Amino acid sequence: MAEPQRHPEEFREPSATDLAAIEQEMPLIEAEVMLLDAQITLLFSDAVPSEMDWQRLRRAQRRVLREARALLAVRGAPVRRVA
């Protein structure tokens, strides 16, 4: 049985532009991972979540919002304020 043909794009290394975009998004990605970790802790905790667990979740949510806003500002997208 013949191996399927692969498109040349599948073997392409990331360009400098691709790597720069990833680097620019990394603070948001890290913040989202922290938020996910806090959510998992709350969902799968054997005990009742403590006030510290809830604070950690709120802190992670604020960081995601802050990093997303910063990324949008860098990319030149208009930032809407919610009253």
Side-chain angles (χ1 to χ4, degrees):
M1 185 168 191
E3 190 172 314
Q5 291 288 327
R6 289 187 155 189
H7 193 274
E9 279 292 306
E10 293 182 45
F11 298 108
R12 183 177 72 94
E13 294 291 324
S15 67
T17 304
D18 295 334
L19 293 174
I22 293 168
E23 185 69 28
Q24 189 178 47
E25 293 174 9
M26 196 51 97
L28 178 58
I29 293 168
E30 290 171 349
E32 289 173 334
V33 168
M34 285 180 63
L35 176 58
L36 183 60
D37 187 50
Q39 290 170 332
I40 289 170
T41 299
L42 286 173
L43 288 172
F44 294 104
S45 176
D46 289 335
V48 175
S50 67
E51 182 58 32
M52 187 177 285
D53 292 330
W54 291 111
Q55 287 176 1
R56 181 176 172 223
L57 176 66
R58 289 190 299 270
R59 191 176 327 114
Q61 290 170 330
R62 287 190 304 270
R63 182 172 175 204
V64 167
L65 292 173
R66 186 175 55 247
E67 295 298 345
R69 195 170 32 248
L71 183 59
L72 286 172
V74 169
R75 290 187 175 176
V79 177
R80 266 185 36 196
R81 295 244 174 205
V82 176

